[in-house]
Amino acid sequence: MLNGQIAHSYLENSCTLVIPHPRAREQRLKSPQPAAAAAAASSSAAGEGLGAGVGAGAGEGDEGIVGGGTETEALHVDRIRNCDIFVDAHDLYFYADFKLYKFHSRRTFDLRELKNLLIRFNPTENHYQICLRCLPLTAGSQEGLVVGAGGGTGDAAKPKSVRKEYIATFLQFSTLADATAHMPDKEPLVQEWKLKRITDQCQLQLDGHERTYKLTNHFGYGFASKYSSPLDTSELDRATCRVADPHRMSPIQRRQERVVDEMKRFSREQYKMNFVELQVPSGHQNPLHYKPKIYETSMTQEQAQLLHNLSRERAPAELDSLRQSEIDCGLISILLAICYDVRTTNNEPTCESSWTRSILCPLFCYFEQFDNYRDVLVAFLRRVVTYPLYRNFDLGRQCVRDAIDVLKGSRNWLIYQLLLTHQQFACSDPSRDNFNTYYLEDYIRYVTSAGACSDEHLRLLARNLKNVQMDVSKRHLGLGVTEIETELIKELVQEMRIEAGGQGSSLRHHLGHGDDDLDQDDETTTDDDSVITDSFDSMDMDMRLIENEIVYAVDENDDEDEEDEDDEDDEDEDEDEEGADEDEEDDSSSSTTSSSEAEGNSVIEQCSNSEAVASSSTK
């Protein structure tokens, strides 16, 4: 789709848009003078009896203006009516024949007046004219609308800023208006899936005629949009191809269908699972670590035969810039899907390779047309994070780098992969042979033709794709990927805090138990010391008792042997024993030992005395 500009002007609560027809130059060359065209139209209407149809409703204008070849060539009613219109509160998309026109209004459209929208066409100037009602300005809104046409004139005056004043001074512009005239505003971000299609509510009227016509929908699709007949739905894979009647849907409507389907199929949980680390099954290599061998190709005999059969037909002739851009963007879209399948399967095609290569390419699923590389990359990355097994943004960017390397100097690898894809589509179940008919066969002829697609042209595509890749980020996907990643990171941080808190409490609990154990050990040690002290005391008492028993035993023996000893000696001996007992109870072990020694000495003295008495008696 080629984007065009719309001239516009504001007058009170209305906005007038002037949209040039895409084939205005061709019509000026082919059309006769306006007077001759008007005469031919009136004579044809009178001759064919169409006077009754003048001023009739749109339902009577389905067949267009019927007349001679001169009138059909002059007015081109069929192409004029081939339009598709979308609108919301501030934006209008007007698709005419093969060109898309976009308009963003700073004032809000009154959508209540769009039940029957009349579009006028000027055959002389070859342009459409649409008048849209706007809501009245409120007290707080900006005023001072300037009546003008195109280039942003007629918009509400913008508030001045210090930055723009500085730039105006630096660039030596006389006024701020001169500075802002050289600084175009950024294109507003439009959510195209929210646009409302109003084509069925519009009617077309030619200037100078009272008759109105319905807008028709008859658009091209396929390679260079050269196909316009209905699809053969008998062999159509409806699980993959979501557009059954591409000739009845404009490219902007096909894109809208794709965007809505991707938003419905996108899974936040699946994206979170593959964000931190790819969920690679055991025994498989991580796709991010794979290095494709793009310079090693070996074509089979079947592929060589297929290439020979396709090369018999002529390659596409020289194309205009619009078709050339559409073809190049389509080739990049197909190549990106191939690079993803090669990287995720380690260049070993599986039974799912046919599905992967078709689902990741909007050309096959929606017959979508691209006219710039940025839209191609955004569409591919959106589908990478929505459909396949590994839904990772970085993996998609790595596939883009692979495609750049292929375009730099591996034409043979590209031809080989296109032939392999053709075979996969032809043999898959369900069959995807329609994709071969409308796209792949023409692209194989295009790539193998050195005149239509030279090596220098492929290197130019690689440079352009590399430049665009640097400007595409996650926010361009429109799926809230950045917010999902931020949410996941917060969840991971929260889990880490919880785990750290649990470990800290367990550590403190463990330390608390350790202090109790130490206290218990101290108490146990104290008890053990007391027990040891008590044991020593009991041992002292036992030693004392043993000594006393010994002393008592000696005294008894002495008493039995010396019964004739005097009572005084016995009393003294008893007193000494009682004193010894008292000393044993009051004093320490050392005093007990001294008393026992004293008693022993007294016993020895008694024995010596008894011996002396005995010796004296014998004498």
Side-chain angles (χ1 to χ4, degrees):
M1 291 181 297
L2 184 63
N3 295 336
Q5 296 181 353
I6 299 178
H8 63 281
S9 61
Y10 292 97
L11 180 61
E12 295 182 353
N13 292 332
S14 63
C15 176
T16 303
L17 307 176
V18 178
I19 306 171
H21 191 270
R23 303 183 185 273
R25 294 182 179 179
E26 298 178 5
Q27 293 179 359
R28 287 194 184 98
L29 295 176
K30 295 181 180 180
S31 61
Q33 297 296 326
S42 60
S43 61
S44 175
E48 297 292 336
L50 295 178
V54 176
E60 299 179 5
D62 293 340
E63 297 179 358
I65 295 179
V66 181
T70 304
E71 183 183 4
T72 305
E73 183 176 325
L75 298 178
H76 297 280
V77 177
D78 289 340
R79 287 187 175 180
I80 293 171
R81 293 193 302 164
N82 194 29
C83 302
D84 208 8
I85 306 174
F86 298 82
V87 69
D88 67 355
H90 292 275
D91 298 279
L92 181 134
Y93 279 29
F94 190 94
Y95 189 87
D97 202 9
F98 61 88
K99 197 171 185 178
L100 176 64
Y101 297 88
K102 299 180 181 179
F103 173 70
H104 179 77
S105 173
R106 289 188 176 88
R107 294 193 59 179
T108 305
F109 294 137
D110 188 359
L111 302 181
R112 296 171 298 179
E113 301 295 332
L114 295 180
K115 296 181 179 179
N116 293 301
L117 180 62
L118 183 64
I119 302 174
R120 298 182 181 276
F121 184 80
N122 189 336
T124 305
E125 299 295 335
N126 291 315
H127 64 247
Y128 302 91
Q129 184 174 349
I130 304 175
C131 184
L132 296 174
R133 299 288 298 174
C134 300
L135 294 177
L137 291 172
T138 59
S141 62
Q142 298 177 357
E143 298 180 356
L145 298 179
V146 180
V147 178
T153 58
D155 296 341
K158 296 182 179 179
K160 297 181 179 181
S161 63
V162 178
R163 180 173 178 270
K164 289 186 177 180
E165 291 287 355
Y166 173 78
I167 295 175
T169 305
F170 179 77
L171 298 178
Q172 297 180 356
F173 287 115
S174 58
T175 61
L176 180 62
D178 295 337
T180 55
H182 292 80
M183 297 189 317
D185 298 334
K186 293 183 180 180
E187 184 179 357
L189 181 61
V190 181
Q191 294 180 339
E192 297 180 352
W193 61 276
K194 291 185 177 181
L195 295 174
K196 180 182 179 182
R197 186 172 181 267
I198 61 172
T199 306
D200 298 334
Q201 304 173 14
C202 299
Q203 298 178 1
L204 179 67
Q205 185 179 38
L206 303 179
D207 287 351
H209 298 266
E210 297 181 357
R211 187 176 182 181
T212 58
Y213 304 90
K214 277 186 176 180
L215 298 180
T216 60
N217 298 313
H218 193 76
F219 305 98
Y221 62 93
F223 180 83
S225 299
K226 67 177 184 179
Y227 300 97
S228 59
S229 59
L231 285 176
D232 184 7
T233 58
S234 60
E235 298 181 358
L236 184 65
D237 179 18
R238 297 186 180 275
T240 305
C241 183
R242 306 301 174 87
V243 178
D245 298 318
H247 65 292
R248 294 296 182 186
M249 300 177 65
S250 64
I252 182 62
Q253 190 175 2
R254 301 173 204 165
R255 178 193 298 177
Q256 194 179 51
E257 292 287 336
R258 174 182 62 81
V259 172
V260 172
D261 288 345
E262 290 168 354
M263 295 181 66
K264 292 180 180 178
R265 295 292 300 272
F266 179 72
S267 174
R268 297 170 60 92
E269 299 301 326
Q270 287 287 342
Y271 183 80
K272 287 182 180 180
M273 290 175 60
N274 290 276
F275 169 64
V276 179
E277 185 179 3
L278 293 180
Q279 303 297 316
V280 182
S282 59
H284 292 74
Q285 183 181 357
N286 193 324
L288 289 172
H289 303 159
Y290 176 74
K291 296 182 179 180
K293 301 177 181 178
I294 59 176
Y295 299 103
E296 299 180 5
T297 57
S298 57
M299 191 177 300
T300 63
Q301 185 176 359
E302 294 179 358
Q303 293 174 348
Q305 183 64 32
L306 176 62
L307 179 61
H308 175 72
N309 296 336
L310 294 177
S311 301
R312 288 181 178 179
E313 301 182 15
R314 294 182 180 181
E318 185 177 354
L319 303 169
D320 56 13
S321 59
L322 173 61
R323 297 306 179 193
Q324 184 67 50
S325 177
E326 180 184 337
I327 292 173
D328 292 339
C329 291
L331 177 62
I332 294 174
S333 180
I334 296 173
L335 178 58
L336 291 174
I338 292 175
C339 290
Y340 181 93
D341 179 65
V342 171
R343 176 168 284 274
T344 54
T345 61
N346 298 333
N347 201 19
E348 297 179 359
T350 64
C351 59
E352 296 294 333
S353 294
S354 175
W355 177 86
T356 303
R357 299 189 181 198
S358 61
I359 200 67
L360 295 181
C361 181
L363 271 70
F364 299 142
C365 298
Y366 297 90
F367 296 94
E368 189 169 351
Q369 299 175 1
F370 295 101
D371 61 347
N372 63 84
Y373 305 124
R374 181 181 177 275
D375 290 345
V376 175
L377 289 186
V378 171
F380 170 73
L381 294 174
R382 281 175 60 95
R383 301 188 75 77
V384 164
V385 300
T386 303
Y387 287 99
L389 177 61
Y390 305 112
R391 305 178 184 182
N392 186 273
F393 182 82
D394 294 333
L395 178 60
R397 291 184 64 89
Q398 189 61 48
C399 296
V400 177
R401 299 187 189 98
D402 296 341
I404 293 173
D405 295 337
V406 171
L407 293 173
K408 284 182 178 179
S410 186
R411 178 196 292 268
N412 293 335
W413 189 88
L414 176 58
I415 296 174
Y416 166 76
Q417 290 294 336
L418 291 176
L419 293 172
L420 179 61
T421 307
H422 188 285
Q423 291 178 325
Q424 292 175 350
F425 286 171
C427 301
S428 63
D429 186 20
S431 177
R432 299 181 175 92
D433 200 37
N434 281 332
F435 304 152
N436 295 333
T437 303
Y438 298 113
Y439 286 105
L440 277 182
E441 294 178 357
D442 290 304
Y443 271 109
I444 292 173
R445 284 190 287 265
Y446 172 72
V447 175
T448 55
S449 175
C453 183
S454 61
D455 293 338
E456 182 62 27
H457 182 71
L458 292 178
R459 287 192 290 269
L460 178 62
L461 295 182
R463 289 195 297 268
N464 295 336
L465 185 60
K466 184 177 181 180
N467 294 334
V468 174
Q469 180 196 14
M470 301 173 62
D471 298 332
V472 176
S473 61
K474 295 178 181 178
R475 65 181 181 86
H476 293 101
L477 303 187
L479 297 173
V481 173
T482 305
E483 291 77 6
I484 295 174
E485 294 177 358
T486 304
E487 178 184 346
L488 178 60
I489 292 174
K490 290 181 179 179
E491 293 177 358
L492 295 176
V493 171
Q494 185 67 20
E495 291 179 1
M496 293 173 62
R497 289 178 178 176
I498 294 175
E499 292 178 359
Q503 292 178 358
S505 61
S506 63
L507 180 60
R508 288 192 297 270
H509 184 68
H510 178 70
L511 292 176
H513 280 293
D515 295 338
D516 296 340
D517 295 340
L518 291 176
D519 295 339
Q520 292 178 2
D521 293 341
D522 294 340
E523 294 176 359
T524 305
T525 304
T526 304
D527 296 339
D528 294 341
D529 293 340
S530 61
V531 171
I532 293 172
T533 304
D534 295 340
S535 63
F536 277 113
D537 294 339
S538 61
M539 289 175 65
D540 293 338
M541 293 295 295
D542 294 339
M543 292 297 294
R544 294 182 192 135
L545 293 174
I546 292 171
E547 291 175 356
N548 292 334
E549 290 177 357
I550 295 172
V551 172
Y552 292 153
V554 173
D555 292 340
E556 290 176 357
N557 293 330
D558 292 338
D559 292 338
E560 291 178 356
D561 295 336
E562 299 176 358
E563 292 177 357
D564 55 350
E565 191 174 347
D566 296 334
D567 294 335
E568 296 178 357
D569 295 336
D570 294 337
E571 291 177 359
D572 296 334
E573 193 174 3
D574 294 336
E575 291 177 357
D576 294 334
E577 290 177 356
E578 291 176 359
D581 294 337
E582 293 176 357
D583 294 335
E584 289 174 358
E585 295 175 357
D586 299 334
D587 299 335
S588 61
S589 60
S590 59
S591 62
T592 304
T593 305
S594 60
S595 62
S596 62
E597 291 177 353
E599 292 174 355
N601 292 330
S602 62
V603 171
I604 294 172
E605 291 177 356
Q606 292 176 3
C607 292
S608 60
N609 293 331
S610 61
E611 290 178 355
V613 173
S615 62
S616 61
S617 60
T618 54
K619 292 179 179 180

